[in-house]
Amino acid sequence: MTSEIDPALLALSGSKIEILISCNNLADLDEFTKTDPMCVMSIKQFGQWKEYGRTEAIRNTLNPRFVSSFIVNLEPSVTQHLKFSLYDIDSRSQELKHHDFVGFTDVTLDKLLNYPKTVCTTSKNLRTAGDSRPRGMINITTEILKDSRNKVSIHAQGHKLDKKGLFSMNKPDVYLEISRSIENIVYLPVYRTEIVYKSTNPRWRPFEISLQKLCNTEWDRNIEFSCWHYSGSNYHLIGRKITSLRDMNNQPMNGHYKEVPLSSPKKEKSGKKKPTYTGSLRFYQFRVDLHYTLLDFIRGGLELNLVIAIDFTASNGNIDEELSLHNISDIRDNQYLDAIETIGSLITQYNHDRQITAFGFGAKWTNRDLPYCFPLTGDQNRYTVKGIKAVTEAYETAVCNLKFGGPTCVAHVIEKAANIAERENTSQNKQVYTVLLIITDGVINDLDRTIRRVVSVSHLPLSIIIIGVGPADFSLMGQFNSDREVKLKMTKQRKKLFDVIHILQHLKKTTRIQVLIFLQ
C-alpha cells in the first residue's frame, strides 16, 4: 500500500532545495590538533548509496559551518533518501577511505522541510555502526530557493582592524566571511575569502556571489560581514557588521569606497551604551549585476531567427540502408526529422514571419555545383523557407538528391550563421536574436578551428545549439560547454567568451529538450 503524497509538498514539486550544513561538538580524532571536518552527502538510488557532493574541508574545528551547500530538486512522488557523513581530512587524497570517519546520519528529504515555512533546521546526532559513543551533532538547514541569475560583485578591504586579544603582539591573519540569517536566529556562512597574512588593512581579491546564495533574493534579509583571525589552531572574531543587501546597495560612497564599521559581539553584549568599534570594512565595489536570460528578452519582444544546418556526411550511412540515419521510410524513425520538428517548432513560435534559413553540409548535390555548406532547397538563390513543414519537405527532397561525403566541418556553418546575425537590422523597436541549430551524427573534425570561430563570433546576438543524433560518442563535444577547456584554446585577442554553445544529445521527450535549450 503506497502512502499518500502530502499536497503541500506536491505543490513544491520541482523546486530547488538548498541544504546548508553546520556541526557542533564533533569527535576530536586528531591527537595534537582538532578535527579537520568535511561533509559528504549521498543519495540512495536503486537501493545503493551514491555520493552527491562534498563541502569544503575546514581546518582545526569541532564546530564547523560549511560554506559549500547542496542543491537538490524536490520530487514528492518518490522518497528521497539522504545520508550525511563527516570525515576528518588528513591528506589531499580524494578517496574517502584515506580519511578518518567521524560519523553519519540519514534522513528523507521530506522530513527536512516544514512547508509553508521556506526555511527549516533539523538537528540530528551523528553515529557510527556498532559504537554508542557520541560523535557530535549535525544541523541540517533547508531553504526553498527563489529563481535568480543576478549576482553581487564585491571588492573589500579591512581598515585599522583591532589587534587586541590573543594576537595583540602581531598583526592578524585575516579573512572575510559573509553569512545570511536563518530566521533571524543564527547566521550561516555563504562566502569566505582567502586569508591575508600579517595585516590590519587586508585587501581581499574581488569576487562575485549570486543573489540566491547571498540572501535568496530577499533584499531586506539580514546578512553579516565578519572579519576573523586564524592563528593556525584557533579562530578569533575581530568584528562584524549586520546589515542587508538593500542597506548596502543604498550606502553612500565616501570618495572611492563605501565604509561600514565593525564591532565586537562580546562588547555588544556587555551593555555599554557606546559600542566599541574594532575597525571597519571598505567596499571599493559593491554592485548588484542584473543577469537577464534569453527568455527575459523574448518576453520583452525579442524575435528568434532560426538557422538550421544538417549533417549529410557519409558517416550517416547510405540512404538506401535500413540503418541509415537519413532513412525517410515509414518503417524507421528519422531522428533528423524528429529534431527539426521538435526544436524548430519551439523556436519558430517566437518569429512572426516564420522564415527559416536551412543549410546542408558535407555532401554533393547531384548534377549541381554547390559549396560545402549549401542551401537545403538546392537553389543557390533561395536559402530560406517558410515554416517547419517547408524545412522537412526540403530535407526529404535533398536526401534523395545528395551524394554523402565528408568530413564534418562545423566552422563553415558557424561562419554562415554569423554573417546572417551581422546583417540583421536591429533597433530598440526591432530586436532579433539568431539561433543556429546544428544537427550532426558524429565527432566534429575541425574542432580547434570551430572553437576559434565560436570565440570570434561571441560578441554577436547568436547562440549555437548542437544536437547529436545516432549512437556515436559525443563526449568530445563537452569541450564546448567547459569554459576552462575553451579558454585554453582562445586566441590572445579574445579575453572573454560568452556562453553561446549548447550541446544536447537528442532526446525524444520534448519537455526535456525545451528545458535544456532555454536555460542559458
Side-chain angles (χ1 to χ4, degrees):
M1 181 177 178
T2 58
S3 59
E4 289 188 15
I5 301 174
D6 186 342
L9 288 181
L10 200 58
L12 295 174
S13 181
S15 297
K16 292 186 181 298
I17 309 296
E18 184 175 21
I19 302 174
L20 302 102
I21 303 296
S22 63
C23 300
N24 302 110
N25 303 317
L26 292 180
D28 193 353
L29 304 184
D30 289 342
E31 187 174 354
F32 300 107
T33 59
K34 296 185 180 72
T35 295
D36 304 323
M38 177 184 75
C39 181
V40 178
M41 189 180 89
S42 303
I43 292 182
K44 184 177 283 189
Q45 295 179 340
F46 305 108
Q48 300 292 322
W49 288 109
K50 291 191 176 181
E51 182 179 324
Y52 185 82
R54 304 180 182 187
T55 67
E56 76 279 13
I58 302 179
R59 295 180 60 189
N60 294 320
T61 180
L62 304 181
N63 302 288
R65 301 183 309 149
F66 298 103
V67 168
S68 300
S69 58
F70 309 105
I71 296 177
V72 297
N73 291 320
L74 178 62
E75 300 176 18
S77 59
V78 298
T79 303
Q80 294 175 271
H81 293 274
L82 310 178
K83 181 168 71 173
F84 301 91
S85 305
L86 272 293
Y87 289 85
D88 176 20
I89 303 304
D90 296 317
S91 68
R92 293 186 178 182
S93 173
Q94 294 297 307
E95 295 188 43
L96 295 176
K97 65 182 181 181
H98 293 155
H99 306 290
D100 294 330
F101 181 61
V102 178
F104 80 98
T105 190
D106 53 356
V107 66
T108 56
L109 181 58
D110 61 298
K111 300 298 183 184
L112 299 176
L113 303 173
N114 187 21
Y115 190 76
K117 292 177 65 176
T118 59
V119 182
C120 179
T121 298
T122 304
S123 298
K124 295 178 71 69
N125 288 315
L126 294 169
R127 64 184 190 274
T128 57
D131 190 344
S132 60
R133 291 178 298 175
R135 309 292 287 186
M137 180 81 70
I138 183 171
N139 309 303
I140 308 167
T141 299
T142 58
E143 182 162 359
I144 302 169
L145 291 178
K146 299 171 185 175
D147 187 38
S148 174
R149 292 176 181 267
N150 299 335
K151 295 182 179 180
V152 182
S153 299
I154 298 175
H155 188 192
Q157 178 183 19
H159 180 65
K160 294 184 178 179
L161 298 183
D162 199 350
K163 293 195 296 182
K164 295 179 181 179
L166 296 176
F167 47 93
S168 58
M169 298 300 294
N170 299 305
K171 292 182 179 180
D173 301 331
V174 191
Y175 64 88
L176 172 65
E177 186 173 275
I178 305 176
S179 305
R180 76 175 187 236
S181 68
I182 303 299
E183 299 182 303
N184 288 324
I185 299 173
V186 298
Y187 287 85
L188 292 181
V190 294
Y191 191 86
R192 194 175 285 129
T193 69
E194 75 282 3
I195 295 175
V196 175
Y197 294 94
K198 309 299 180 188
S199 177
T200 56
N201 299 288
R203 191 161 183 161
W204 299 282
R205 290 192 294 267
F207 60 91
E208 283 187 340
I209 182 171
S210 71
L211 210 63
Q212 194 179 64
K213 182 73 171 176
L214 179 64
C215 58
N216 202 12
T217 75
E218 298 171 19
W219 282 64
D220 295 310
R221 183 175 186 167
N222 280 350
I223 55 176
E224 178 189 74
F225 293 92
S226 55
C227 288
W228 293 79
H229 165 67
Y230 177 58
S231 65
S233 59
N234 288 294
Y235 298 86
H236 306 278
L237 177 60
I238 298 173
R240 68 173 185 172
K241 172 65 177 180
I242 295 176
T243 181
S244 68
L245 177 64
R246 190 180 306 280
D247 287 345
M248 283 299 302
N249 196 54
N250 294 336
Q251 177 86 8
M253 296 290 288
N254 180 13
H256 298 294
Y257 52 82
K258 299 180 178 185
E259 188 164 21
V260 296
L262 299 174
S263 59
S264 169
K266 291 182 179 179
K267 294 173 182 177
E268 290 171 2
K269 294 177 182 178
S270 65
K272 293 183 178 180
K273 292 184 179 180
K274 291 185 178 180
T276 304
Y277 297 115
T278 55
S280 65
L281 283 174
R282 290 180 172 179
F283 292 90
Y284 293 91
Q285 184 179 68
F286 192 95
R287 186 184 70 241
V288 179
D289 297 319
L290 302 180
H291 290 253
Y292 296 103
T293 67
L294 186 56
L295 273 181
D296 292 325
F297 286 106
I298 289 173
R299 293 187 186 106
L302 175 75
E303 289 199 2
L304 298 183
N305 179 28
L306 178 60
V307 178
I308 298 177
I310 301 172
D311 179 357
F312 289 106
T313 53
S315 57
N316 285 278
N318 192 302
I319 186 176
D320 297 324
E321 298 174 358
E322 184 180 348
L323 296 179
S324 171
L325 293 172
H326 283 300
N327 190 309
I328 56 175
S329 68
D330 294 333
I331 301 173
R332 177 178 169 78
D333 288 337
N334 183 304
Q335 293 186 41
Y336 280 94
L337 283 173
D338 193 11
I340 292 169
E341 292 170 350
T342 302
I343 301 174
S345 298
L346 177 66
I347 295 174
T348 51
Q349 293 178 40
Y350 306 102
N351 187 336
H352 77 280
D353 64 11
R354 298 174 58 239
Q355 291 293 326
I356 301 168
T357 304
F359 293 101
F361 64 92
K364 291 290 186 181
W365 197 288
T366 307
N367 301 324
R368 296 185 191 179
D369 186 18
L370 295 176
Y372 177 85
C373 189
F374 55 86
L376 196 62
T377 61
D379 183 350
Q380 187 69 30
N381 298 315
R382 190 165 70 93
Y383 281 86
T384 62
V385 295
K386 187 171 184 176
I388 290 299
K389 185 177 180 181
V391 175
T392 59
E393 289 173 351
Y395 165 78
E396 291 174 0
T397 300
V399 162
C400 299
N401 291 280
L402 291 173
K403 182 179 180 181
F404 298 170
T408 305
C409 297
V410 172
H412 294 288
V413 180
I414 295 174
E415 189 169 346
K416 287 277 189 182
N419 291 336
I420 293 171
E422 283 183 312
R423 288 199 304 267
E424 287 292 346
N425 294 319
T426 59
S427 64
Q428 187 63 36
N429 297 324
K430 181 189 176 184
Q431 297 183 348
V432 181
Y433 191 91
T434 300
V435 178
L436 170 60
L437 173 62
I438 301 174
I439 312 174
T440 180
D441 79 311
V443 176
I444 297 171
N445 296 123
D446 61 339
L447 190 59
D448 288 339
R449 186 182 173 195
T450 297
I451 289 174
R452 289 195 298 270
R453 198 72 188 100
V454 168
V455 172
S456 71
V457 303
S458 61
H459 64 287
L460 295 174
L462 170 67
S463 275
I464 304 167
I465 302 170
I466 301 180
I467 303 294
V469 298
D473 180 9
F474 295 95
S475 58
L476 281 178
M477 288 189 184
Q479 287 193 40
F480 286 113
N481 267 352
S482 169
D483 282 352
R484 185 177 65 85
E485 292 288 342
V486 174
K487 285 176 181 176
L488 288 175
K489 299 177 181 291
M490 287 172 60
T491 58
K492 292 182 180 179
Q493 289 76 20
R494 295 287 182 182
K495 298 296 183 183
K496 187 174 182 181
L497 177 66
F498 292 93
D499 184 17
V500 296
I501 293 275
H502 304 275
I503 307 296
L504 307 177
Q505 177 78 22
H506 177 54
L507 300 173
K508 292 186 178 180
K509 293 183 179 179
T510 306
T511 53
R512 173 70 170 169
I513 293 174
Q514 289 178 4
V515 170
L516 287 173
I517 289 173
F518 287 108
L519 288 181
Q520 300 195 59

